[in-house]
């Protein structure tokens, strides 16, 4: 006959053992899920100790400016990742849009004006025309991406890899117009450069924030509203979570997919519009590998490749973290070649941790 007291003692012991295991698992899961953030925080503190300039106003203003420059790209590609996809063409769309903007807004007396037959427009007319042009260019490319993904059920990796090559071909052809022979597009009009990189806020005599920081904030607010307050945003997350279930629920999966990619293309175009004045000129290599940084920032910020998960605030945080790391690497004297290895490692670790979270939940 079983002793009731012994049975109760065993039950209590089993409960305590299970409770202890659950607590250990909770802490282990917490550490692993946030390992990337913890390592980055340690790295940032180390950089601040080694190089005192890291936390000075000039460095902070530089980080904010870089975040503003790369944020529109990440905001666009984030939607593609929510749909369990990606976009490898993003960087080249930035490059093509930057080239179009620069060509339209070169000084009339520039020695190497690409569109020499195009009439010089007043500053604001030229800027509005360039903005409309990059929205059109980015929107068309995004529409093509979304159409082939949605209509023919092709994987976004394949579709955007193809359009990446097509865009690069268009860039190379664009730079040969009027005998330009691939020369950089420089001599941008003062109205264009002031509109993008002019001083918005002067922090001190040597430090200021450019106007494109404000534009990045505006883009972020617009995307937050679209993601969180519109039917389109709800449909996007529904399709990303389960496209078949969303279709049964009455969501137009084709339309949603095309719209997500089109919106992403528009964001790439606007990023390209800001890029020329920011770097001073546009070359055939402008935008190269920009999509890698954007994808890494999204994953770091919690936009999951399993689909249906992500927040605009997370994307902003991811871009901030990534730019802080890159500035810190430069201040520590790490060579640009080695920085590519670190970027690749960050993407790999971030994706592995993201997939682990999904498997644990599943």
């Amino acid at each position: 006959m079983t002793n009731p007291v012994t049975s109760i003692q065993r039950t209590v012991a089993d409960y305590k053992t299970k409770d202890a295991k659950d607590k250990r698992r909770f802490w282990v899961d917490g550490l692993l899920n946030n390992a990337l953030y913890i390592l980055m925080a340690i790295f940032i503190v180390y950089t601040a100790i080694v190089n005192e300039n890291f936390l000075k106003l000039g460095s902070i203003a530089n980080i904010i400016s870089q975040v503003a420059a790369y944020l529109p790209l990440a905001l666009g590609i984030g939607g593609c990742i929510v749909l369990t996809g990606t976009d490898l063409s993003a960087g080249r769309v930035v490059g093509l849009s930057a080239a179009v903007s620069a060509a339209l807004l070169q000084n009339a007396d520039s020695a190497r004006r690409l569109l020499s037959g195009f009439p010089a427009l007043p500053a604001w007319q030229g800027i509005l025309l360039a903005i409309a042009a990059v929205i059109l260019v980015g929107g068309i490319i995004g529409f093509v991406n979304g159409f082939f993904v949605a209509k023919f059920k092709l994987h976004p990796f394949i579709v955007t890899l193809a359009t990446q090559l097509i865009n690069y071909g268009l860039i190379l052809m664009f730079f040969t117009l009027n005998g330009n022979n691939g020369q950089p597009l420089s001599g941008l009009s003062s109205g264009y450069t002031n509109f993008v990189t002019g001083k918005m806020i002067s922090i001190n005599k040597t430090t200021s924030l450019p106007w494109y920081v404000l534009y990045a904030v505006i883009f972020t607010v617009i995307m937050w509203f679209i993601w969180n307050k519109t039917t389109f945003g709800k449909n996007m997350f529904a399709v990303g979570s389960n496209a078949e279930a969303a279709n049964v629920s009455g969501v137009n999966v084709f339309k949603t997919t095309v719209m997500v990619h089109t919106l992403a293309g528009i964001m790439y175009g606007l990023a390209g519009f800001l890029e020329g004045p920011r770097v001073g000129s546009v070359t055939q290599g402008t935008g190269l590998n920009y999509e890698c940084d954007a994808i890494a920032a999204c994953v770091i910020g919690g936009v999951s490749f399993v689909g249906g998960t992500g927040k605009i605030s997370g994307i902003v945080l991811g871009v901030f973290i990534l730019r802080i790391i890159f500035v810190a690497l430069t201040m520590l004297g790490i060579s640009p070649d080695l920085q590519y290895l670190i970027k690749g490692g960050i993407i790999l670790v971030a994706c592995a941790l993201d997939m682990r979270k999904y498997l644990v939940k599943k």
Side-chain angles (χ1 to χ4, degrees):
M1 183 176 178
T2 305
N3 189 334
V5 176
T6 304
S7 298
I8 293 173
Q9 288 175 341
R10 288 177 178 173
T11 302
V12 171
D14 291 341
Y15 176 79
K16 288 182 177 179
T17 301
K18 183 178 182 301
D19 186 55
K21 288 181 179 179
D22 288 343
K23 287 182 178 179
R24 284 197 298 270
R25 183 173 180 179
F26 172 79
W27 284 106
V28 170
D29 287 345
L31 288 173
L32 288 175
N33 290 340
N34 297 286
L36 201 59
Y37 296 110
I38 295 171
L39 292 174
M40 289 177 181
I42 294 172
F43 175 70
I44 290 168
V45 171
Y46 171 76
T47 305
I49 294 172
V50 173
N51 192 330
E52 60 182 13
N53 292 324
F54 182 61
L55 295 179
K56 288 188 176 180
L57 283 176
S59 176
I60 294 174
N62 178 42
I63 292 171
I64 293 174
S65 298
Q66 288 197 32
V67 168
Y70 288 92
L71 189 53
L73 191 69
L75 292 172
I77 213 166
C80 301
I81 298 176
V82 168
L83 293 184
T84 69
T86 187
D87 194 339
L88 300 181
S89 68
R92 291 305 186 185
V93 178
V94 171
L96 181 59
S97 301
V100 171
S101 299
L104 290 173
L105 294 170
Q106 281 183 298
N107 285 317
D109 57 353
S110 177
R112 289 199 301 255
R113 190 161 182 256
L114 186 68
L115 303 179
S116 55
F118 189 79
L121 298 174
W124 283 104
Q125 291 183 20
I127 289 172
L128 291 175
L129 176 63
I131 292 174
V134 298
I135 288 175
L136 182 63
V137 169
I140 290 174
I141 296 171
F143 177 85
V144 170
N145 288 338
F147 178 82
F148 277 89
V149 170
K151 181 67 174 179
F152 301 104
K153 309 301 180 185
L154 299 176
H155 196 284
F157 181 92
I158 300 300
V159 174
T160 58
L161 175 62
T163 53
Q164 179 195 66
L165 297 174
I166 293 171
N167 287 328
Y168 187 45
L170 292 174
I171 290 170
L172 295 177
M173 293 169 62
F174 188 79
F175 271 81
T176 60
L177 294 177
N178 287 335
N180 187 61
N181 198 27
Q183 296 299 313
L185 301 180
S186 55
L188 305 180
S189 69
S190 58
Y192 182 27
T193 54
N194 290 335
F195 179 77
V196 175
T197 61
K199 291 183 181 180
M200 179 182 67
I201 298 175
S202 294
I203 300 174
N204 55 38
K205 293 182 178 180
T206 59
T207 306
S208 63
L209 292 178
W211 279 108
Y212 65 81
V213 172
L214 175 62
Y215 308 147
V217 172
I218 294 173
F219 298 154
T220 303
V221 172
I222 292 173
M223 292 297 287
W224 178 89
F225 181 83
I226 292 174
W227 277 34
N228 296 281
K229 300 297 181 180
T230 65
T231 302
F232 163 69
K234 295 176 182 178
N235 291 345
M236 178 183 72
F237 283 101
V239 172
S241 296
N242 190 321
E244 292 182 4
N247 186 49
V248 172
S249 300
V251 176
N252 190 327
V253 176
F254 174 84
K255 180 180 178 181
T256 301
T257 303
V258 172
M259 286 181 64
V260 167
H261 282 274
T262 302
L263 180 60
I266 291 172
M267 295 306 295
Y268 308 154
L270 293 171
F273 172 80
L274 302 177
E275 188 66 8
R278 189 181 75 86
V279 298
S281 64
V282 179
T283 68
Q284 294 172 330
T286 297
L288 177 64
N289 292 330
Y290 279 22
E291 64 276 0
C292 296
D293 290 352
I295 293 170
C298 288
V299 176
I300 290 171
V303 184
S304 177
F305 271 103
V306 301
T309 303
K311 294 181 179 180
I312 294 297
S313 58
I315 295 175
V316 175
L317 177 62
V319 176
F320 256 106
I321 291 174
L322 208 59
R323 300 327 303 180
I324 288 172
I325 290 174
F326 294 161
V327 170
L329 289 173
T330 301
M331 287 193 164
L332 290 175
I334 305 299
S335 70
D337 297 338
L338 184 57
Q339 289 186 30
Y340 279 106
L341 298 180
I342 296 172
K343 288 181 182 181
I346 290 173
I347 295 174
L348 190 61
V349 172
C351 289
L353 291 174
D354 172 63
M355 185 55 65
R356 181 189 176 277
K357 292 178 187 178
Y358 169 72
L359 293 175
V360 168
K361 291 179 181 179
K362 188 175 180 181

